[in-house]
Amino acid sequence: MGDPMPKESSAKKLDINEKEALMDDSKPGADNANGEGIVLKQNLSLINGITVIVGSIIGSGIFVSPRGVLKGSGSVGMSLIVWLLSGVYSMIGAFCYCELGTSILRSGADYAYIYEAFGPFLAFLRLWVECMIVRPCSQAIVALTFAYYVIEPLFPDCDQPEVPVRLLAVVCILILTFVNCADVTWATRVQDVFTYAKLIALALIIVTGFVQLGRGEYEHFKDPFVNTESNIGEISLAFYSGLFAYNGWNYLNFVIEELKDPYRNLPKAIWISIILVTAVYVMTNIAYFTTVSPDEILGGAAVAVMFSRRLYGVVWWCMPIFVSLSTFGGVNGILFTTSRLFYVGGREGHMPQILSMVQIQRLTPMPACLFMGALSLCYLASSDIYALINYVGFATWLSIGLAIVVLMYLRWKRPEMKRPIKVHLVWPIIYTIVTIYLVILPLYASPVETGIGLAIICTGIPVYVIFVAWKSKPKIFTRYMDQMTVILQKFLMVVPEEKKGV
């Protein structure tokens, strides 16, 4: 294990008079400051935990990934197998995360687990990958999908104009950044409401699909494996698109410090969520193929919209609305959980200290939420959703695979460690083997995208050396950073997390 994580950075704190001025007794956060301190609360129930996972998973993936899965797999039957195996793979990973999350009870998920086993350098690279690629890129993808479907009813017979689509994606991110900065309860209520909305939308598709099957609409299932792709590199890209749709199954681990009774609620939330999502995804794709042909999906059709336009008549516009609600909730879930990752990184000295601070009135990690929102806006410069998915896929599975290796490493090095949940070693071994396949083969099948992803990971090395490992920085640099931290503290009215008696 590496050296202990720095709990305090060299950044100058507000002096006592300035802090007292911020924490005036008339402020809503003052009572908390005098009691338990300025700290994030355990506000998440089991239901909230389920909606965080389901709401984060079901975003844009089920509406944009069918094309990528079908393109890589080549046939209807193989695409359904990819969807099912992606769910099983996610379930195995989630099962392993139950042990990690209840053994290392700290927010930050993969970042915290990798640090616990392998020290600060690899943990920082994981944090860097998540900050610079995975989360903001995922949020940009979901926000763009939201915008496409909002505008769809206005342009039913032509392509949507690019500028309004991007502007709507910007508005979506800005609104949800404000909500997450304002109140944790607001953010969880948004997550709950929009999770129910997206499940209603998918339930409508599934029920309609079963009706279609009952009417004999199963032409595309008569010879389901014709044209199946034989190139395993292409099939790995199909899994990237499928697994992108499942991305988010580990998000509750990122906010575990805010989950009530985590030893009981974490595994329950994970199991319920993954089983529900896998069943919904497979049945939704079966429903798609009852009405929309594989050629139409490969041609770039907005599959859910085409499905609704053919079957729902004059009320076809309800589906773009439901998809918009789904993706809006997906953006909220990503933003809510990712801001906590940045918060933990700042608290542990691997990101600017300002990101580890809590707004004294709202008791939210406001700087981290603002940072996540701003970074996501940068990724909207790219409109190629499938290239973004490939960037995300390579970085995600490389990092999560390393976190699963942590489980096996700690079993070897720290057998006495308290493990409220203990999985059989066969599951992390299987997950690791599949992850190696998912990481290596795309280097051959899609070298440009995966090469860019690898290059961005490597950019974290000089950043770590300069900003984390280098302790004797010039005084002018540290003085400037201290001044900027204090200015931002005063502007945002934030202070470091401060528990009672500390």
Side-chain angles (χ1 to χ4, degrees):
M1 183 175 170
D3 298 333
M5 256 194 264
K7 298 297 181 185
E8 298 285 345
S9 79
S10 61
K12 177 184 176 182
K13 303 285 198 310
L14 293 174
D15 65 38
I16 188 66
N17 293 327
E18 291 172 318
K19 185 178 288 189
E20 287 176 353
L22 281 178
M23 296 169 57
D24 185 274
D25 286 343
S26 66
K27 302 297 183 184
D31 291 340
N32 188 277
N34 295 331
E36 299 177 28
I38 302 296
V39 59
L40 299 180
K41 303 300 179 187
Q42 288 185 316
N43 289 320
L44 303 181
S45 65
L46 173 60
I47 295 298
N48 293 143
I50 292 171
T51 58
V52 164
I53 297 175
V54 174
S56 298
I57 294 177
I58 303 177
S60 65
I62 188 59
F63 305 109
V64 302
S65 289
R67 179 190 176 197
V69 172
L70 184 60
K71 181 180 179 181
S73 58
S75 67
V76 171
M78 190 62 193
S79 70
L80 293 176
I81 290 175
V82 169
W83 281 105
L84 179 61
L85 291 181
S86 295
V88 172
Y89 175 72
S90 300
M91 177 67 77
I92 294 173
F95 190 33
C96 296
Y97 265 57
C98 285
E99 175 174 329
L100 289 167
T102 54
S103 302
I104 306 171
L105 204 62
R106 298 209 315 261
S107 291
D110 320 332
Y111 168 67
Y113 310 150
I114 293 171
Y115 191 95
E116 186 78 16
F118 303 127
F121 176 63
L122 288 180
F124 176 84
L125 288 184
R126 167 54 178 158
L127 184 68
W128 181 256
V129 168
E130 199 75 3
C131 292
M132 300 306 297
I133 309 176
V134 177
R135 297 305 187 88
C137 186
S138 297
Q139 184 153 292
I141 291 170
V142 181
L144 282 170
T145 307
F146 163 81
Y148 280 124
Y149 278 94
V150 167
I151 292 182
E152 176 69 23
L154 302 178
F155 300 90
D157 300 315
C158 59
D159 294 335
Q160 299 95 330
E162 185 174 334
V163 173
V165 166
R166 294 198 188 189
L167 287 177
L168 266 177
V170 169
V171 170
C172 171
I173 292 173
L174 290 178
I175 290 174
L176 289 174
T177 299
F178 169 77
V179 169
N180 279 266
C181 288
D183 196 298
V184 172
T185 302
W186 291 6
T188 56
R189 285 178 180 171
V190 167
Q191 195 65 21
D192 292 348
V193 170
F194 285 91
T195 295
Y196 302 144
K198 67 184 66 180
L199 289 176
I200 291 172
L202 293 175
L204 180 61
I205 293 174
I206 291 168
V207 170
T208 306
F210 277 113
V211 171
Q212 286 287 89
L213 288 174
R215 295 164 67 181
E217 299 292 340
Y218 44 80
E219 176 185 352
H220 303 305
F221 300 103
K222 291 180 179 178
D223 194 2
F225 293 99
V226 65
N227 298 322
T228 295
E229 180 64 59
S230 58
N231 185 323
I232 58 174
E234 290 297 323
I235 293 178
S236 71
L237 295 180
F239 274 102
Y240 265 18
S241 288
L243 289 170
F244 170 77
Y246 285 91
N247 195 18
W249 55 259
N250 61 331
Y251 280 15
L252 188 58
N253 289 63
F254 283 91
V255 295
I256 196 169
E257 291 178 21
E258 296 174 71
L259 180 66
K260 298 174 182 176
D261 194 3
Y263 294 116
R264 182 177 68 89
N265 287 336
L266 176 65
K268 281 187 176 181
I270 286 176
W271 281 108
I272 293 171
S273 302
I274 303 299
I275 292 173
L276 174 63
V277 171
T278 302
V280 166
Y281 275 6
V282 173
M283 290 189 290
T284 298
N285 278 276
I286 291 174
Y288 284 155
F289 285 120
T290 64
T291 304
V292 185
S293 72
D295 289 340
E296 288 171 327
I297 294 175
L298 291 174
V303 60
V305 173
M306 181 172 286
F307 182 89
S308 66
R309 292 183 69 180
R310 291 184 177 175
L311 298 178
Y312 299 150
V314 294
V315 295
W316 70 271
W317 48 263
C318 69
M319 189 54 63
I321 291 176
F322 274 127
V323 175
S324 301
L325 296 175
S326 172
T327 50
F328 191 80
V331 174
N332 185 70
I334 296 171
L335 181 57
F336 179 78
T337 55
T338 305
S339 61
R340 273 60 179 176
L341 176 62
F342 295 155
Y343 172 83
V344 173
R347 186 176 66 186
E348 307 298 1
H350 280 184
M351 296 196 78
Q353 187 191 11
I354 189 67
L355 297 181
S356 68
M357 297 188 183
V358 180
Q359 217 283 334
I360 62 173
Q361 295 173 278
R362 303 294 182 178
L363 299 181
T364 61
M366 182 181 288
C369 292
L370 292 172
F371 180 74
M372 174 58 183
L375 201 56
S376 300
L377 294 176
C378 296
Y379 272 85
L380 290 178
S382 173
S383 59
D384 188 344
I385 288 179
Y386 295 98
L388 291 177
I389 288 174
N390 286 340
Y391 298 155
V392 169
F394 177 78
T396 297
W397 308 121
L398 180 64
S399 302
I400 293 179
L402 184 58
I404 298 299
V405 171
V406 167
L407 187 153
M408 297 184 286
Y409 180 82
L410 292 178
R411 287 280 191 93
W412 172 42
K413 287 293 187 179
R414 297 168 62 180
E416 76 291 346
M417 186 178 187
K418 181 182 177 182
R419 295 176 173 87
I421 296 174
K422 191 172 183 178
V423 304
H424 196 285
L425 276 177
V426 68
W427 300 118
I429 291 173
I430 291 173
Y431 193 92
T432 302
I433 292 172
V434 175
T435 300
I436 291 172
Y437 159 76
L438 289 172
V439 168
I440 292 178
L441 284 181
L443 289 171
Y444 164 75
S446 185
V448 175
E449 287 87 349
T450 51
I452 291 173
L454 185 61
I456 297 177
I457 293 173
C458 291
T459 61
I461 297 175
V463 174
Y464 176 82
V465 171
I466 295 171
F467 292 99
V468 179
W470 184 19
K471 302 299 182 183
S472 57
K473 299 180 182 70
K475 289 184 178 180
I476 188 172
F477 176 82
T478 55
R479 188 161 50 245
Y480 173 77
M481 293 300 294
D482 292 346
Q483 291 172 352
M484 289 301 299
T485 298
V486 173
I487 291 171
L488 289 172
Q489 279 188 262
K490 291 178 178 179
F491 178 71
L492 298 174
M493 297 184 70
V494 295
V495 295
E497 181 183 52
E498 197 171 278
K499 297 182 180 180
K500 184 178 180 180
V502 178

